[in-house]
Amino acid sequence: MKDDELPAWMSEAFSEARLHAYTEFMRGDRPAGIRLYWWNTEASAALYGPFHCLEVALRNSVHRRLSDLHGRADWWAVARLGDRGMGKVVEARRVCRGRGKTGTPDEIVAELSFGFWRHLLTKPNDRYFWVPAVHKAFPGYRGRRDALDDQVHSLVLLRNRIMHHEPIHHRDLREDHDKLYRIMGYVNQDLAKEIRSMDRFPAVLAAKPDALGGRRPPQF
């Protein structure tokens, strides 16, 4: 096999089309493109844990505040979610029942996407969500709603790329990582401190040159 050819198993498993973007990013260097693909996978895997903690903590914090505001755990039954938001709740309830669950508030909350919770930070939801309750879900934050929304939206997009196995290597991942911890700290500073102690992403990012140069094997 020539240096610029994909191993047969890799071409079959991942496809030429999928890997082309990585080779192209590395200016046509096929072996370097493959190494970039593996590093992208490693970086995505390393970010999964922090994203897991951020998403769960954020949704639980927002859920608690809205439950307090409306005096009921199924606050969406009386809140002004609009068609889009209620559609997400209906779909979450359908998924729960399809899995043999009753669709309790906790079960529905677990099915609602990160994007659903981020949507509660947008301008149309300012009056009925942010002002009376949602801002309290971020006790460490003192800034504007729109600035927080921009940051959370950026993280939602990154999270979705990771979960859909898409390229993230071209992003400013150091800034993304810092942003993730800023938002996590706004929600719960103790959580952010604890998760940092277990986070291997900084080491993965620092090792990128060695990984792309073939001096360090991928680890995920």
Side-chain angles (χ1 to χ4, degrees), residues 54-65:
L54 171 63
E55 184 171 347
V56 172
L58 188 152
R59 77 187 185 200
N60 285 342
S61 188
V62 173
H63 172 58
R64 280 194 297 271
R65 300 306 180 183

Side-chain angles (χ1 to χ4, degrees), residues 60-140:
N60 285 342
S61 188
V62 173
H63 172 58
R64 280 194 297 271
R65 300 306 180 183
L66 289 173
S67 296
D68 290 344
L69 175 66
H70 295 286
R72 54 192 296 174
D74 62 340
W75 51 267
W76 45 81
V78 294
R80 299 194 182 203
L81 271 177
D83 292 342
R84 175 181 177 181
M86 279 308 301
K88 297 290 186 181
V89 173
V90 169
E91 175 62 15
R93 185 180 291 114
R94 185 193 67 77
V95 171
C96 287
R97 290 176 178 171
R99 294 175 177 172
K101 299 178 180 180
T102 59
T104 65
D106 283 342
E107 290 169 347
I108 289 176
V109 166
E111 291 296 336
L112 291 168
S113 69
F114 197 6
F116 171 88
W117 302 102
R118 174 261 159 176
H119 187 65
L120 298 180
L121 302 176
T122 59
K123 185 175 181 179
N125 290 311
D126 187 78
R127 179 178 179 184
Y128 299 110
F129 290 92
W130 175 258
V131 172
V134 173
H135 74 278
K136 299 175 185 177
F138 302 87

Side-chain angles (χ1 to χ4, degrees), residues 8-50:
W9 64 264
M10 195 172 196
S11 181
E12 181 179 350
F14 299 131
S15 83
E16 287 274 0
R18 178 173 182 80
L19 295 169
H20 175 72
Y22 295 87
T23 298
E24 186 176 45
F25 190 86
M26 300 303 290
R27 301 179 180 180
D29 186 332
R30 179 59 64 83
I34 293 174
R35 291 194 292 270
L36 177 60
Y37 183 83
W38 290 131
W39 185 85
N40 190 86
T41 306
E42 182 179 12
S44 297
L47 285 169
Y48 176 85

Side-chain angles (χ1 to χ4, degrees), residues 115-179:
F116 171 88
W117 302 102
R118 174 261 159 176
H119 187 65
L120 298 180
L121 302 176
T122 59
K123 185 175 181 179
N125 290 311
D126 187 78
R127 179 178 179 184
Y128 299 110
F129 290 92
W130 175 258
V131 172
V134 173
H135 74 278
K136 299 175 185 177
F138 302 87
Y141 185 67
R142 296 293 182 270
R144 293 167 52 94
R145 175 203 54 76
D146 56 352
L148 180 64
D149 179 35
D150 285 345
Q151 294 181 71
V152 176
H153 185 215
S154 174
L155 291 177
V156 169
L157 295 178
L158 174 58
R159 179 262 188 209
N160 289 344
R161 294 192 70 84
I162 290 171
M163 297 306 173
H164 289 93
H165 320 304
E166 297 178 0
I168 64 170
H169 60 83
H170 57 286
R171 295 177 59 110
D172 184 347
L173 291 175
R174 190 181 307 279
E175 169 55 25
D176 286 328
H177 186 256
D178 290 344
K179 187 184 305 177

